[in-house]
Structure formats: structure tokens, C-alpha cells
Amino acid sequence: LLRDVSGTGCRIESSERVDPGTEVSLTPYGYDASLEFRIGATVQRHLEPQPGQHVLACRFTGTGAVMAPRLFAVRKPGGSGRPES
């Protein structure tokens, strides 16, 4: 479950532990369906706030690092304050 997103990464909740350094593939979903593509990311941090609840801090990688700011309409750090077009 995507909880937070920025121009460089995201925070997700998972039912499973994923160790830092693990490469993952994220599939964004709209209100009713998948957006039909995947974004590459690497897990940077893992927290388990309570048993069975895992929170992952991920950094976008590869083409995902290029696509994510446009897809999620967020600015890159040091950017102009508006999404790139």
C-alpha cells in the first residue's frame, strides 16, 4: 500500500518483511485498476511498528527514477516547485 511519495522515492506498507538493499518492482493502482506498468525501486529502510505490519522506505531506480516525478506530479528536490512537463 503506497502511503507517501516524493520525487525520489516512496513509503509503502507491506504484509511481509523486505530487507534493505532489495530491489523491488512497484505497480501503482488507480481507484479500480492497475496503471499497467511497474516502477523499479530499492528498499532503503525497513520498520516493523507492530507485528505483521512492515513499513518500507524505497528509492526509485532506473527509468522509475525518471518517470515517478511526472507520474505522481511531484517535484524533484531542488526543482522549480511544479511538476515537469
Side-chain angles (χ1 to χ4, degrees), residues 37-82:
F37 60 88
R38 294 184 179 170
I39 297 174
T42 300
V43 176
Q44 300 294 307
R45 278 189 310 256
H46 166 269
L47 299 170
E48 189 173 5
Q50 49 190 346
Q53 180 187 22
H54 302 274
V55 178
L56 312 174
C58 300
R59 181 171 300 274
F60 299 128
T61 58
T63 56
V66 175
M67 290 176 27
R70 292 180 178 182
L71 170 69
F72 297 117
V74 294
R75 64 185 167 122
K76 293 180 184 176
S80 65
R82 59 181 184 184

